[in-house]
Amino acid sequence: MKFTQHLLVFLIFIFSTNLNSQTTMSGLDKGLAIGNILVQGYVALKGNGVKPVDPNAKTVDSFCFKNKMEEKIIIKFNGKIEDEEVKKEFVVQKGEKECAYNLPKGIYTYEVLLSSKDTFQKGEYKVSEETLMTIDN
């Protein structure tokens, strides 16, 4: 176990011992207090879950499309980044999401096609950070 995990276990032991010595707290209050300590300890060990963004990075970790339409969609995603053509095509089932990983930062054009091959939406998007683009009616 890591030092921080040992410390957390020790603190939980101390707090639970302290709670057991207080006769004015009901069992429910003690349980809630111990649960709160456990949650706060877990959050402290894991951090806030937000990964710092490197402004100098040339790529984003992920760029995702989520389909909230009533049918599957096809997304054509194209960009020209530093004289390199980047082309992606996604087939996203109803209620699902698809992602591109380590995508170069830049300006991309996208086209959302319905299963009938009709264009539902098209446009440009500047990819500069991790993104989840939701396609909805």
Side-chain angles (χ1 to χ4, degrees):
M1 290 177 95
K2 294 179 181 176
F3 174 74
T4 53
Q5 290 171 328
H6 286 293
L7 181 62
L8 178 63
V9 170
F10 177 72
L11 289 174
I12 291 170
F13 174 74
I14 295 297
F15 284 122
S16 65
T17 304
N18 187 27
L19 289 175
N20 287 334
S21 67
Q22 295 177 1
T23 58
T24 58
M25 292 183 86
S26 72
L28 178 61
D29 290 337
K30 288 179 186 178
L32 290 174
I34 291 172
N36 189 23
I37 292 167
L38 288 172
V39 168
Q40 289 177 357
Y42 177 76
V43 169
L45 285 176
K46 291 295 282 181
N48 62 4
V50 176
K51 192 170 118 181
V53 176
D54 179 7
N56 298 322
K58 301 239 185 241
T59 62
V60 295
D61 288 341
S62 67
F63 190 89
C64 302
F65 293 95
K66 182 165 181 74
N67 180 6
K68 287 196 171 181
M69 303 284 288
E70 292 298 316
E71 60 184 288
K72 78 174 181 180
I73 56 174
I74 299 168
I75 300 169
K76 295 183 177 184
F77 198 65
N78 303 307
K80 189 169 186 178
I81 297 21
E82 296 181 4
D83 296 330
E84 182 182 334
E85 185 121 9
V86 177
K87 287 187 175 189
K88 305 277 184 190
E89 187 170 303
F90 305 91
V91 177
V92 189
Q93 299 297 325
K94 173 184 168 186
E96 298 293 322
K97 79 175 183 179
E98 293 289 331
C99 300
Y101 298 100
N102 295 320
L103 189 68
K105 290 181 178 181
I107 298 174
Y108 291 82
T109 60
Y110 68 93
E111 183 176 13
V112 179
L113 303 171
L114 302 174
S115 54
S116 63
K117 303 293 185 205
D118 292 331
T119 299
F120 173 73
Q121 183 179 2
K122 63 178 6 181
E124 283 189 346
Y125 193 88
K126 182 179 180 182
V127 175
S128 59
E129 63 185 10
E130 279 189 84
T131 305
L132 173 63
M133 183 183 281
T134 301
I135 309 298
D136 199 354
N137 290 339

